[in-house]
Amino acid sequence: MSDFEGLRGEAERCLRALAGDGARLRDDQWTAIQALVVERRRALVVQRTGWGKSAVYFVATRLLRERGAGPTVIVSPLLALMRNQIDAADRAGIHARTINSANTDDWEAVFAEVEAGVVDVLLVSPERLNNPDFRDLVLPKLAAGAGLVVVDEAHCISDWGHDFRPDYRRLRTLLADLPPGIPVLATTATANARVTKDVAEQLAGDDALVLRGPLERESLRLAVVKLPSAEQRIAWLGEHLADLPGSGIIYTLTVAAAHEITGYLRDRGHEVAAYSGQTEQAERLQAEQDLQGNRLKALVATSALGMGFDKPDLGFIVHVGAPQSPVAYYQQIGRAGRGVDRAEVILLPGPEDRDIWAYFASLAFPPEHIVRATLDVLENAGRPLSTGALEPQVDLNRARLEMMLKVLDVDGAARRVKGGWTATGRPWSYDRERYERVTAERRREQQAMLDYIAATTCREKFLRDQLDDPSAAPCGRCDNCTGDHRSADVTPQGAAQARDRLHRPGVDLAPRRMWPTGVKDDLGVSGRIKPEHLAETGRALGRLTDIGWGNRLRDLFASADTDVPTDMVDAVVKVLAAWDWPARPAGVVTIGSHSRPRLVTSLGHRIAEIGRLPYLGELTPTGAPVPRRHNSAQRLRSVWHSLTVPPDLATALSTAPGPVLLVDDRIETGWTMTVAARLLKDSGAPAVLPLTLATPN
């Protein structure tokens, strides 16, 4: 028997240990394994979800380890993926450990096991790559001693990809610094031609082996159901969920929608749970286990439940709201139907989807003047600055600021060190042309998603064409191919129940309790907000991201200033009636507005009239309208001197026998309401109860 045949036999035996006695290597799996183990090459594998990409690196790991190679280092984006991969590795006798933000207490023991040579696979989250200690002390040793480096979900490397992550850009440096002869494997199920070319070039220029297969999913039955309103969509879901096979995932575009839909479906008796990036880690893990064990009909999830979640018998995927990219959509629906002959894939699009896409688009890489200003602050600081210390000096919210700093780090203009961030002083150019091309590509993808919804031809072929799949052909299974379109009918009772749920008014507003970092010198406040200045827990009519009141509120704020609509007054009265305050308000105060004076004033007067409360007056806006700011320190500075208490209001407050209801049209950061509450309490109000029409989320 030749060495070649012997190696393939070993690979087949390892695969059977991993996937069962009936498993056999696909030709491209063997080609990739041979390239990694024998030729020590760099390879990119672009294959459909469920094809067996993880089998390639686990089998290659076993073969390399048996030949004396060091451990495999896998960069993997999500904890759910890590847990599934560790379980799979154990089945094949491969000892796998992980390093991520959720197991910091285990790091020292894990590193000791790596040093002792007993770890075969180390899974690392991309965020670790930019941690100073890990990057400077641990990563060089891992890279030098690795037997194989794997980049899972490799489309995240490319800013052309639908799920680009700045932390993944650190991999460019890691790959460039690897010693000769260490093989590298990159894998993804969702990369079009442009992303494939970009990732391959980052791997090895023109020398990377690219194995790209057909992306057909024979088990998927794709359909679109068009319904006119949010309540119609979730009513349809409530009436048809029990008919869908097995268990599955219901995807939403926002956290608020996930919780709204979960509540409605539970009211109808369905076993479901909400899952998002805001869900506590223990709850996430329990929810995943409950879905795996078929104790839930569905998880109602944001994209936080995405790459790598592995349940082969998922029977359906429903999207309430369309993702902004056909590529992202195909990646998410690929969770279903891996181990069953038929899985239902249903999209319930809504007109509000485009508003949500626009919000996500607003989080793109900042304009050049803001980037330059940030670098100037870092250069002039003379010491490392934490993100919190930078925030008061840069007009970006925390998430965008951190994303920008990570990109600057990889570009070499900034560096993350102990204590925060520093500027390197290296020349840096703003790649405006590239950012504009990426923005244009995002708009093209959004239009393609709208075209998918309107398509009358094969839906699977449409999606595979978007992924530049040369073998794309009509599937013969989707609603357009078969002519079997799902009914959009909803019973009047179901629609009424959904309407009641979605338009159930009232969202708690937790008060700000801490002053932001960096304003003590100019505003004289820091640390905890004093109890005598603290607002009570308030209420909002609804969230702008809700699929119920959110639609109505977004329309209101997109139109000209007007008196408060009657339906909103009625809903606010319900909010007030359900408010469990310890003492009834003694009066109403409004916050003067430059942009919507009629809306705010009319809302305050109507509440006072209906509640038979005295209207005490208005906090008067001073000077010009306050410019919009994006982070806490900047926003607080801008509103600190923007309001004043007129004498007649001060007199009324000094004799108020109870709490004051403080009314505004919307809360964004919460700092206007915080400053207003401080002013009112300093003027004698015993307590302040914030009330607003809208809150962001």
Side-chain angles (χ1 to χ4, degrees):
M1 182 171 60
S2 67
D3 291 343
F4 175 87
E5 291 171 335
L7 184 65
R8 177 147 192 173
E10 287 184 59
E12 294 280 6
R13 286 191 292 276
C14 183
L15 178 69
R16 288 193 289 274
L18 185 70
D21 291 340
R24 295 291 183 272
L25 283 173
R26 304 174 190 272
D27 288 343
D28 275 0
Q29 285 177 317
W30 169 241
T31 300
I33 291 167
Q34 186 180 12
L36 297 170
V37 176
V38 178
E39 302 168 21
R40 306 297 173 102
R41 291 187 64 182
R42 297 188 174 191
L44 170 60
V45 174
V46 183
Q47 298 283 359
R48 62 177 174 78
T49 303
W51 175 86
K53 296 180 289 294
S54 61
V56 171
Y57 50 75
F58 283 136
V59 171
T61 294
R62 168 65 70 83
L63 298 177
L64 286 164
R65 291 288 281 164
E66 289 177 350
R67 284 154 180 77
T72 292
V73 177
I74 302 176
V75 180
S76 184
L78 291 181
L79 298 181
L81 179 60
M82 291 184 178
R83 289 191 289 269
N84 288 330
Q85 289 185 330
I86 289 173
D87 291 342
D90 285 341
R91 291 196 298 270
I94 296 170
H95 183 47
R97 297 298 304 270
T98 179
I99 294 290
N100 60 69
S101 57
N103 73 338
T104 52
D105 292 341
D106 299 335
W107 286 13
E108 189 173 340
V110 172
F111 293 144
E113 289 183 42
V114 173
E115 290 279 352
V118 298
V119 173
D120 300 310
V121 170
L122 182 66
L123 292 109
V124 180
S125 61
E127 291 76 17
R128 293 305 97 210
L129 301 177
N130 209 31
N131 174 277
D133 283 342
F134 186 86
R135 180 195 64 212
D136 297 336
L137 302 177
V138 178
L139 192 58
K141 294 180 182 178
L142 284 177
L148 170 66
V149 174
V150 177
V151 182
D152 215 352
E153 306 296 350
H155 59 271
C156 296
I157 293 177
S158 174
D159 52 11
W160 298 110
H162 71 273
D163 197 22
F164 166 64
R165 301 188 180 196
D167 291 300
Y168 256 66
R169 294 185 64 169
R170 173 62 54 191
L171 288 165
R172 300 180 186 184
T173 305
L174 169 64
L175 297 176
D177 292 343
L178 284 177
I182 295 182
V184 177
L185 173 66
T187 67
T188 180
T190 46
N192 58 19
R194 172 177 277 172
V195 173
T196 298
K197 182 175 183 293
D198 190 14
V199 174
E201 287 177 349
Q202 293 183 49
L203 281 180
D206 296 329
D207 296 329
L209 170 67
V210 178
L211 296 171
R212 184 180 179 119
L215 301 177
E216 182 181 17
R217 292 295 308 279
E218 296 179 358
S219 64
L220 301 185
R221 270 53 177 180
L222 275 64
V224 174
V225 181
K226 300 174 185 175
L227 294 139
S229 65
E231 53 260 33
Q232 290 276 325
R233 286 191 291 282
I234 74 159
W236 186 96
L237 184 58
E239 293 180 352
H240 292 85
L241 182 58
D243 300 329
L244 297 177
S247 56
I249 301 171
I250 300 165
Y251 278 112
T252 68
L253 297 185
T254 68
V255 174
H259 287 282
E260 288 280 4
I261 292 170
T262 298
Y264 168 76
L265 293 176
R266 284 177 174 169
D267 287 348
R268 290 189 60 98
H270 296 291
E271 292 293 332
V272 296
Y275 186 109
S276 75
Q278 296 180 16
T279 306
E280 291 293 332
Q281 181 60 30
E283 290 182 43
R284 279 210 220 184
L285 181 57
Q286 185 62 55
E288 291 171 21
Q289 292 173 346
D290 287 344
L291 187 63
Q292 293 280 9
N294 295 318
R295 293 182 291 276
L296 292 174
K297 180 65 176 179
L299 284 183
V300 186
T302 65
S303 59
L305 184 70
M307 294 180 294
F309 180 78
D310 186 16
K311 178 175 167 58
D313 62 344
L314 273 180
F316 64 89
I317 300 281
V318 178
H319 280 76
V320 183
Q324 59 182 322
S325 159
V327 181
Y329 183 59
Y330 203 62
Q331 186 264 332
Q332 289 181 345
I333 66 176
R335 306 268 70 78
R338 299 185 190 184
V340 294
D341 293 334
R342 180 182 180 116
E344 304 298 328
V345 174
I346 303 167
L347 174 60
L348 307 175
E352 70 274 11
D353 297 349
R354 277 174 266 195
D355 293 334
I356 298 170
W357 297 348
Y359 168 74
F360 288 132
S362 72
L363 304 180
F365 195 72
E368 183 174 6
H369 72 276
I370 292 180
V371 185
R372 297 284 181 198
T374 306
L375 289 173
D376 287 344
V377 171
L378 289 173
E379 287 172 357
N380 295 329
R383 59 182 177 84
L385 294 178
S386 67
T387 310
L390 263 174
E391 201 171 14
Q393 305 179 67
V394 179
D395 190 18
L396 292 174
N397 65 29
R398 180 68 61 93
R400 287 189 79 195
L401 177 58
E402 289 180 343
M403 182 271 287
M404 180 188 71
L405 289 167
K406 289 174 181 178
V407 172
L408 292 174
D409 190 348
V410 177
D411 287 349
R415 184 170 176 80
R416 189 175 182 181
V417 298
K418 282 189 175 181
W421 298 87
T422 61
T424 64
R426 297 177 189 171
W428 178 80
S429 60
Y430 187 86
D431 196 347
R432 187 187 319 278
E433 183 179 351
R434 184 175 183 86
Y435 295 132
E436 289 175 352
R437 290 202 311 269
V438 170
T439 299
E441 178 68 8
R442 296 290 177 267
R443 293 197 188 103
R444 188 203 66 78
E445 290 175 339
Q446 292 173 4
Q447 183 57 52
M449 200 67 221
L450 298 175
D451 294 342
Y452 171 80
I453 293 166
T456 57
T457 55
C458 176
R459 296 198 187 278
E460 185 171 303
K461 182 179 186 302
F462 182 98
L463 295 174
R464 291 170 65 189
D465 283 340
Q466 291 295 312
L467 281 154
D468 299 316
D469 183 355
S471 63
C475 70
R477 301 178 300 275
C478 71
D479 57 354
N480 286 340
C481 284
T482 63
D484 184 15
H485 294 275
R486 290 180 173 272
S487 170
D489 292 341
V490 173
T491 65
Q493 181 184 10
Q497 288 176 336
R499 189 178 308 110
D500 289 345
R501 177 73 201 196
L502 290 183
H503 292 275
R504 183 183 298 173
V507 176
D508 285 356
L509 294 174
R512 290 280 190 176
R513 297 186 180 277
M514 299 286 293
W515 297 113
T517 305
V519 297
K520 183 177 182 179
D521 290 345
D522 50 339
L523 301 184
V525 291
S526 63
R528 292 189 178 277
I529 298 175
K530 295 177 180 179
E532 59 267 29
H533 290 150
L534 202 63
E536 305 300 313
T537 297
R539 298 290 187 276
L541 170 59
R543 302 178 182 91
L544 289 170
T545 52
D546 283 346
I547 57 176
W549 276 109
N551 294 333
R552 185 78 177 83
L553 290 165
R554 287 195 299 272
D555 288 343
L556 175 70
F557 290 115
S559 60
D561 185 29
T562 184
D563 287 350
V564 61
T566 301
D567 65 325
M568 290 192 181
V569 174
D570 294 341
V572 168
V573 170
K574 292 180 181 178
V575 172
L576 294 171
W579 199 333
D580 55 347
W581 44 49
R584 191 173 188 271
V588 177
V589 175
T590 54
I591 296 180
S593 171
H594 286 287
S595 59
R596 297 190 179 275
R598 285 181 61 186
L599 178 65
V600 178
T601 302
S602 63
L603 176 61
H605 280 287
R606 291 289 288 131
I607 291 170
E609 176 187 345
I610 293 170
R612 298 181 181 180
L613 298 170
Y615 178 76
L616 303 179
E618 175 186 273
L619 284 170
T620 307
T622 59
V626 173
R628 182 173 181 177
R629 301 296 183 187
H630 297 89
N631 67 54
S632 289
Q634 296 272 353
R635 179 65 181 171
L636 180 60
R637 282 200 184 98
S638 66
V639 303
W640 188 257
H641 298 295
S642 67
L643 296 170
T644 187
V645 181
D648 55 342
L649 176 57
T651 300
L653 290 169
S654 66
T655 59
V660 170
L661 197 64
L662 178 59
V663 177
D664 202 359
D665 58 343
R666 63 194 289 179
I667 282 180
E668 292 192 13
T669 64
W671 289 115
T672 298
M673 192 66 80
T674 302
V675 170
R678 184 176 186 267
L679 287 171
L680 293 178
K681 296 189 81 172
D682 277 346
S683 297
V688 174
L689 300 165
L691 176 68
T692 184
L693 291 176
T695 184
N697 47 53

